[in-house]
Amino acid sequence: MFSTLIFAGTYFLVHKKSLLQQKHIISLLAFCGIILIASFGERTYHMLKDGFFKPTPLGFVSASTAPIYLSKKSDSHLIKNDDYRTIFIRSMDTLLDKDLLAKPEFSTKETYAFFHNNLPKICNQTIQQQGIDYYFKNYRPNGWDINKITAYSYFETEAACKEFTKVLIINNFVNWLKLYYTNITYGFKSQLLFWFIVIIFIVSLIKSWFTNNRDYSIIFILSSLILSNAMFIAFASHSIQRYLFYNYALIFLLFLSIYNLTKSEKKY
């Protein structure tokens, strides 16, 4: 979905002067259609499989991990829903028992290193499991088989984690932002490389807007794909090779494109 938005944005930049032509309007509608079809297809699959017209219950389970890791048990008073609050308290108790919460004496780098190394334990083995166990034991409507009860437990845990994510990020924003930034830059191995790509993205966006040189559009696409993937992964999880390996190929293509652009501009 993010890739489709990037390509739609690039298409807009390239054809902005003639965007009202029918063929360009159809193309942009097609980009939007791809996103809607992907979302509808995912929800339809779960409707047929589980009986719930909902997206895959995984995104916010994962994204809630960092905010919960940085939170305190007293944050439970911010959660209005009784079920969600109970799951949060149980998760915090488990994390405290396992010593899996951020420590005040840690530096930002140490806080991220601990999070990076223990994310599966914090998320899959604690937060997600507590939510699933809670709903599986407490919600058993008549007429539902075991598969539908299990699916419901996953979907409701996702809903609870979505609430945790919003509330806890707002309440611990500065600490979360530091962890998020460290998470992003860790995937680039260097803050210098990260900021270089950010500058390239900004320059290519400006150049694509004010010139008709499509080489800048290629650079814009590559830098956008790199940054959007890194930022999405840092929000939803942690920066490991399994999620970021294609970024390194794109970085190579980005440098190659910049080199070719420099050579072509020197000719003029």
Side-chain angles (χ1 to χ4, degrees), residues 52-89:
F52 299 99
F53 189 69
K54 295 183 177 182
T56 303
L58 182 62
F60 280 100
V61 168
S62 185
S64 69
T65 308
I68 291 175
Y69 166 69
L70 296 169
S71 66
K72 302 176 289 297
K73 192 173 179 178
S74 59
D75 290 334
S76 61
H77 75 277
L78 299 168
I79 301 167
K80 306 303 181 185
N81 184 289
D82 292 338
D83 293 329
Y84 298 173
R85 191 185 312 112
T86 301
I87 293 167
F88 176 76
I89 291 170

Side-chain angles (χ1 to χ4, degrees), residues 12-263:
F12 173 82
L13 287 173
V14 171
H15 299 288
K16 59 185 179 295
K17 292 182 179 178
S18 56
L19 203 61
L20 294 179
Q21 292 181 8
Q22 185 179 3
K23 63 179 181 179
H24 296 319
I25 292 173
I26 292 172
S27 296
L28 286 174
L29 288 174
F31 280 118
C32 296
I34 290 171
I35 297 172
L36 293 174
I37 290 168
S39 178
F40 183 79
E42 181 185 30
R43 291 168 183 267
T44 302
Y45 166 76
H46 286 295
M47 185 66 198
L48 296 172
K49 175 178 173 288
D50 304 312
F52 299 99
F53 189 69
K54 295 183 177 182
T56 303
L58 182 62
F60 280 100
V61 168
S62 185
S64 69
T65 308
I68 291 175
Y69 166 69
L70 296 169
S71 66
K72 302 176 289 297
K73 192 173 179 178
S74 59
D75 290 334
S76 61
H77 75 277
L78 299 168
I79 301 167
K80 306 303 181 185
N81 184 289
D82 292 338
D83 293 329
Y84 298 173
R85 191 185 312 112
T86 301
I87 293 167
F88 176 76
I89 291 170
R90 290 184 179 184
S91 297
M92 291 299 292
D93 287 339
T94 307
L95 291 168
L96 283 165
D97 289 342
K98 293 182 178 181
D99 195 26
L100 290 174
L101 291 172
K103 296 176 175 56
E105 65 271 19
F106 278 180
S107 65
T108 302
K109 188 173 282 189
E110 289 171 330
T111 299
Y112 177 71
F114 188 86
F115 171 78
H116 180 86
N117 294 329
N118 292 282
L119 185 136
K121 294 178 184 178
I122 300 168
C123 178
N124 308 71
Q125 299 174 26
T126 305
I127 302 163
Q128 185 182 44
Q129 197 59 51
Q130 286 295 328
I132 292 168
D133 289 348
Y134 176 82
Y135 283 108
F136 190 80
K137 292 173 183 175
N138 292 286
Y139 287 83
R140 291 174 170 264
N142 292 330
W144 283 17
D145 60 21
I146 197 71
N147 290 330
K148 190 162 186 176
I149 293 170
T150 302
Y152 178 82
S153 301
Y154 275 90
F155 285 115
E156 286 304 304
T157 300
E158 171 76 358
C161 288
K162 184 177 182 179
E163 181 68 14
F164 299 161
T165 303
K166 292 186 292 185
V167 169
L168 298 175
I169 285 178
I170 292 170
N171 195 52
N172 302 285
F173 184 71
V174 174
N175 288 332
W176 176 84
L177 188 63
K178 289 178 181 177
L179 185 70
Y180 178 62
Y181 175 76
T182 307
N183 198 352
I184 293 175
T185 53
Y186 182 88
F188 286 92
K189 310 302 179 187
S190 166
Q191 291 191 46
L192 185 63
L193 178 59
F194 167 70
W195 284 108
F196 174 76
I197 294 174
V198 169
I199 292 168
I200 290 298
F201 164 76
I202 295 170
V203 171
S204 64
L205 174 60
I206 294 170
K207 288 285 190 179
S208 297
W209 182 265
F210 289 106
T211 71
N212 293 321
N213 189 336
R214 296 198 178 187
D215 288 340
Y216 284 111
S217 298
I218 293 171
I219 293 172
F220 172 74
I221 289 174
L222 292 171
S223 59
S224 297
L225 289 171
I226 293 165
L227 291 174
S228 63
N229 187 51
M231 293 173 71
F232 177 75
I233 294 303
F235 177 79
S237 187
H238 57 159
S239 297
I240 58 176
Q241 295 292 325
R242 181 157 62 95
Y243 301 139
L244 294 172
F245 70 93
Y246 94 89
N247 267 19
Y248 305 117
L250 291 176
I251 290 171
F252 172 76
L253 291 174
L254 178 63
F255 278 104
L256 192 63
S257 299
I258 293 170
Y259 174 74
N260 287 336
L261 176 64
T262 304
K263 281 185 66 177

